[in-house]
Amino acid sequence: MVVIDGIVIRPQHCAYDNFSNTLVNHRGGVFCDVHNQEFGARCHVRDCQNQKIDNTQACNEHQEMWHKYNLEHSLDYLNGRHVQQPHDESDTNIPKKSHYFSASRYYCVETICAPCGAVIAWTKFVKSESTTNILKPDYICIDKACKLLRTAVANGSWVDWFKSSHFVVDGYHYTNHCSDDYLCRKWCNPAPQDGSAPNLVYIAQDRNACEQLNSWLGGFESIMKCMTPSNFNWFIHSMIFYHTQQVIKWQNSQNFSIISEDFEHDDGLL
């Protein structure tokens, strides 16, 4: 079984639609080198062909929009506003940009962990961790397993998964799923009563391994969100490597303790 979860840590990338290239300037820049050459001198309002006014990102016609943007992104405004992280939202809920006044950001970092806490893999998601983006272990434990299963059935990919993998909702989130959701209760139940699968409630609780890892990484968000993508990749990979080494070290110490206790028990019998 593997455990999948995401954390919203969002380094910047090119603001142009459906591009995640590295910014040409990470201190106030909004485009990659290609789009900066094409749009850098133009008004950054979508589809506007006018030249922007110096020291702004808009033409004369769109100065009001530019000033409104600056006001809404000022420290005084943001200090009194709760910014909700859009984690787990569908891509279809994200409105199309009306302007390119600021760089875009990656949606989240997704991690795959073994139940013991060792990190198997990680990647950055440009868009949300939708059910079409997360798709072969024996058991895949994730809070949206039933949605993932529906997507696999709808797009036909379930044929490739049926013989190898089970999608399981972890015990913590399972209690909040609809009691009349037959698909969830029948196929994603972590503790089925018909003997069709082992009771995974205890094992699924190790999903906290991912939650704890993400909570730890979240403490570095303030510095990571300002990094270039290459520095971000190096930093998070180093931190995850360090974390995994500590997990393995702890596991080895636990195994040594068990072996020592067995030897002491055997000596007592002799």
Side-chain angles (χ1 to χ4, degrees):
M1 184 178 78
V2 297
V3 184
I4 305 172
D5 198 22
I7 178 173
V8 179
I9 302 178
R10 314 177 72 193
Q12 295 178 326
H13 62 82
C14 179
Y16 198 73
D17 298 339
N18 301 319
F19 274 82
S20 57
N21 297 351
T22 301
L23 297 176
V24 67
N25 175 16
H26 284 272
R27 293 183 178 274
V30 297
F31 292 123
C32 63
D33 185 50
V34 173
H35 293 107
N36 190 60
Q37 293 182 30
E38 185 174 357
F39 303 109
R42 281 165 39 183
C43 175
H44 287 190
V45 174
R46 178 183 289 276
D47 299 328
C48 182
Q49 303 297 319
N50 300 330
Q51 296 294 302
K52 66 181 183 181
I53 297 176
D54 290 342
N55 300 319
T56 74
Q57 300 283 29
C59 63
N60 186 62
E61 180 183 349
H62 294 112
Q63 282 299 300
E64 183 178 350
M65 184 183 295
W66 167 246
H67 291 313
K68 180 181 179 182
Y69 169 84
N70 281 328
L71 175 63
E72 292 180 349
H73 289 77
S74 65
L75 288 177
D76 289 339
Y77 182 87
L78 293 176
N79 284 339
R81 176 188 179 196
H82 173 66
V83 180
Q84 184 177 1
Q85 299 287 11
H87 194 49
D88 292 343
E89 283 186 0
S90 170
D91 293 346
T92 58
N93 294 333
I94 301 175
K96 200 172 185 179
K97 284 185 174 182
S98 60
H99 58 73
Y100 302 112
F101 290 156
S102 62
S104 297
R105 292 185 178 274
Y106 285 92
Y107 182 81
C108 69
V109 171
E110 200 78 14
T111 55
I112 301 177
C113 292
C116 65
V119 182
I120 298 171
W122 71 275
T123 190
K124 300 193 298 291
F125 274 25
V126 175
K127 296 183 179 180
S128 70
E129 52 171 10
S130 66
T131 51
T132 55
N133 289 336
I134 306 174
L135 285 173
K136 275 172 172 175
D138 292 336
Y139 291 93
I140 299 175
C141 178
I142 185 170
D143 54 0
K144 57 178 69 175
C146 47
K147 291 184 179 180
L148 188 61
L149 177 57
R150 284 191 177 89
T151 299
V153 171
N155 63 24
S157 62
W158 175 243
V159 176
D160 299 327
W161 289 87
F162 180 74
K163 296 180 181 179
S164 63
S165 302
H166 292 77
F167 299 98
V168 179
V169 178
D170 62 278
Y172 176 78
H173 288 93
Y174 183 75
T175 56
N176 296 322
H177 283 220
C178 294
S179 58
D180 58 351
D181 187 340
Y182 176 79
L183 183 145
C184 181
R185 298 291 165 176
K186 173 66 177 178
W187 298 103
C188 302
N189 191 335
Q193 301 297 314
D194 59 1
S196 59
N199 188 324
L200 297 176
V201 168
Y202 177 76
I203 301 175
Q205 287 176 350
D206 284 333
R207 185 178 188 273
N208 290 332
C210 244
E211 301 281 1
Q212 291 166 3
L213 169 65
N214 291 338
S215 177
W216 177 63
L217 289 174
F220 303 97
E221 179 185 5
S222 60
I223 59 175
M224 285 196 289
K225 68 181 182 181
C226 299
M227 293 180 177
T228 64
S230 56
N231 288 347
F232 179 92
N233 291 346
W234 177 87
F235 181 84
I236 198 168
H237 194 80
S238 299
M239 297 302 288
I240 286 177
F241 177 80
Y242 171 78
H243 169 83
T244 300
Q245 291 296 308
Q246 294 301 308
V247 169
I248 293 173
K249 182 179 178 181
W250 183 83
Q251 289 287 335
N252 289 337
S253 67
Q254 292 296 106
N255 292 336
F256 179 79
S257 299
I258 293 173
I259 293 173
S260 298
E261 290 176 1
D262 288 342
F263 273 118
E264 292 176 1
H265 179 69
D266 291 341
D267 289 342
L269 293 177
L270 294 174

